[in-house]
């Protein structure tokens, strides 16, 4: 039976899975789970992942969720995957695992929370929390500094210090790509001080092209849509303010 991959391309971990599969020529069926329509909470999908989250996979009768577990499984289970993605060397694997563990409680928590409270909340009609956004930005900036000072301090192009990406590079870069949804001034304020991170992102894009760009196309289209919505909200506020300052005819 063909591998089935349950994803929403607006999900950072979903994109990492898809890019890995495409870059390694692994045959699979992509099953779209629309988070906006809450399909991830449906009884049908919960038979695949009882946690109700994407991504998830089914490989025959074997089902698996959590993106990092999926990436390690795919790297080990399918022939032809380059060793650099998840090296057979025990020390190298342990380093990758430590990066992935760190990622969940640092970079991902900072990035996802910041994007939620600055971009997604207004679009989804949810209350925004400026304090949560400020705290998340602090954690995000600290995480980017950590990446530079610990894993990008040498001459290598990628996190393990080598010249080929691992599953850790792919997972973390896809997370940072979610910042494309921000207003450009905010994205620049956060990322521009981290020149090593910016170069690492480009290295990962180049190592996985054209798949990186194809999978991220939905994110770029969402960025354009959110920009248009922000301009519309700003215009509506201006119109409302102008009407409130008009002199009364009474």
């Amino acid at each position: 039976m063909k591998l089935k991959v349950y994803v929403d391309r607006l999900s950072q971990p979903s994109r990492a899975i898809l890019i890995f599969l495409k870059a390694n020529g692994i045959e699979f069926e992509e099953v779209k789970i629309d988070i906006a329509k809450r399909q991830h909470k449906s009884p049908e999908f919960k038979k695949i992942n009882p946690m109700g989250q994407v991504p998830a996979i089914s490989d025959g009768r074997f089902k698996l969720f959590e993106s990092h577990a999926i990436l390690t499984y795919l790297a080990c289970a399918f022939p032809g995957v380059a060793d650099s993605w998840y090296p057979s060397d025990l020390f190298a694997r342990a380093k990758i695992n430590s990066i992935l563990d760190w990622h969940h409680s640092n970079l991902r928590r900072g990035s996802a929370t910041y994007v939620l409270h600055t971009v997604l909340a207004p679009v989804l009609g949810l209350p925004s929390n400026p304090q949560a956004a400020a705290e998340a930005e602090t954690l995000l900036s600290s995480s980017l500094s950590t990446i530079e000072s610990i894993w990008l301090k040498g001459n290598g192009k990628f996190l393990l210090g080598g010249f080929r990406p691992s599953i850790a590079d792919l997972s973390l870069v896809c997370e940072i790509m979610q910042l494309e949804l921000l207003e450009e001034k905010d994205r620049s304020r956060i990322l521009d001080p981290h020149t090593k991170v910016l170069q690492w992102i480009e290295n990962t894009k180049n190592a996985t092209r054209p798949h990186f760009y194809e999978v991220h196309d939905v994110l770029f289209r969402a960025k354009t849509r959110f920009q248009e919505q922000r301009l519309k909200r700003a215009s509506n506020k201006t119109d409302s303010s102008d009407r409130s300052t008009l002199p009364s005819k009474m």
Side-chain angles (χ1 to χ4, degrees):
M1 295 178 67
K2 183 183 289 188
L3 173 71
K4 288 188 176 182
V5 183
Y6 301 82
V7 293
D8 184 329
R9 291 192 179 201
L10 282 176
S11 150
Q12 305 93 300
S14 291
R15 295 195 300 270
I17 300 292
L18 291 174
I19 294 167
F20 179 86
L21 289 166
K22 289 171 178 284
N24 286 285
I26 298 172
E27 291 189 12
F28 67 98
E29 177 185 348
E30 180 178 349
V31 181
K32 181 179 179 181
I33 304 297
D34 194 328
I35 294 176
K37 295 179 180 178
R38 297 190 61 78
Q39 291 177 351
H40 58 305
K41 300 300 183 182
S42 69
E44 293 79 12
F45 179 66
K46 284 193 172 184
K47 293 177 182 178
I48 304 298
N49 181 2
M51 300 297 180
Q53 297 176 327
V54 293
I57 66 169
S58 61
D59 189 13
R61 289 187 291 179
F62 177 66
K63 299 177 178 63
L64 187 64
F65 50 90
E66 291 296 333
S67 64
H68 295 163
I70 293 170
L71 284 168
T72 57
Y73 170 76
L74 296 174
C76 297
F78 289 85
V81 174
D83 186 69
S84 54
W85 284 108
Y86 193 57
S88 55
D89 177 77
L90 181 61
F91 293 162
R93 282 195 176 187
K95 288 182 179 180
I96 288 176
N97 292 338
S98 71
I99 295 170
L100 295 176
D101 287 349
W102 171 87
H103 166 48
H104 263 311
S105 55
N106 292 275
L107 178 64
R108 178 160 177 76
R109 187 157 63 92
S111 176
T113 304
Y114 185 75
V115 171
L116 171 63
H117 288 290
T118 57
V119 178
L120 298 182
V123 172
L124 299 174
L126 300 174
S128 184
N129 186 330
Q131 181 178 346
E135 292 172 355
E137 182 177 348
T138 299
L139 177 58
L140 173 56
S141 296
S142 172
S143 298
L144 294 171
S145 294
T146 297
I147 291 171
E148 288 194 322
S149 64
I150 296 180
W151 295 299
L152 296 178
K153 63 181 179 180
N155 296 322
K157 290 185 175 182
F158 300 102
L159 296 176
L160 290 190
F163 295 90
R164 291 185 178 181
S166 70
I167 60 173
D169 295 282
L170 195 52
S171 181
L172 272 63
V173 168
C174 284
E175 187 68 54
I176 296 172
M177 285 299 295
Q178 204 76 351
L179 301 181
E180 288 287 335
L181 297 178
L182 302 178
E183 291 190 52
E184 192 57 37
K185 62 181 179 61
D186 294 328
R187 181 180 177 277
S188 296
R189 184 186 71 253
I190 293 169
L191 284 179
D192 284 359
H194 303 283
T195 54
K196 288 185 178 180
V197 166
L198 290 172
Q199 183 58 59
W200 164 59
I201 292 171
E202 289 304 310
N203 292 340
T204 304
K205 289 179 181 179
N206 291 333
T208 55
R209 66 168 56 214
H211 313 294
F212 192 97
Y213 295 94
E214 184 264 317
V215 172
H216 277 86
D217 181 66
V218 66
L219 184 72
F220 300 137
R221 287 189 279 113
K223 176 181 181 178
T224 300
R225 187 168 68 251
F226 289 163
Q227 287 174 335
E228 292 171 350
Q229 291 173 347
R230 280 194 291 264
L231 290 172
K232 185 176 181 179
R233 288 197 301 271
S235 177
N236 289 340
K237 286 182 180 178
T238 301
D239 291 344
S240 177
S241 176
D242 289 344
R243 286 195 295 270
S244 67
T245 57
L246 288 174
S248 174
K249 293 183 179 180
M250 298 297 290

